[in-house]
Amino acid sequence: MDGRCPAAHPQDPTPCVGPPVVSVLDAVGAGADGCEHHGARLLASLAGGRVYPLPDAPQGVAIRVFKAADGIRPFCWFDGPRSEPSQLSHAENRARHHL
């Protein structure tokens, strides 16, 4: 594979971790295939996103990406203070509501 997977955001400086294994779709069905790492980061940055394994993907990969995305902040490669719910991970938002 040349470069990075299609799910890698141009401003995300991190390298791929393996080949594309999932397809991440947004709320209207547009999406990109990605490695586990970038698939999770993309899913974390989408409202209403979904993840599906690619045909030859390892068993359980979509669940791993879904679980990883839960703890990742949207557009996590951007620095700066984050206090709004839309800037926090799903896990952080759940924890705030259980205080």
Side-chain angles (χ1 to χ4, degrees), residues 24-25 38-47 49-51 65-66 69 90:
V24 178
L25 304 178
H38 289 117
R41 289 164 80 97
L42 175 59
L43 185 61
S45 301
L46 296 174
R50 302 177 311 275
V51 60
V65 167
F66 181 82
H90 294 297

Side-chain angles (χ1 to χ4, degrees), residues 10 12-13 16 24-25 29 35 38 44 53 64 73 75 82 87-88 93 97 99:
D12 180 349
C16 285
V24 178
L25 304 178
C35 66
H38 289 117
R64 285 194 304 276
R73 289 178 168 179
F75 304 99
R82 293 178 177 241
Q87 299 170 324
L88 302 175
N93 281 316
H97 286 83
L99 293 178

Side-chain angles (χ1 to χ4, degrees), residues 55-78:
D56 294 329
Q59 186 80 19
V61 70
I63 295 295
R64 285 194 304 276
V65 167
F66 181 82
K67 288 180 176 181
D70 186 59
I72 299 172
R73 289 178 168 179
F75 304 99
C76 59
W77 49 91
F78 291 127

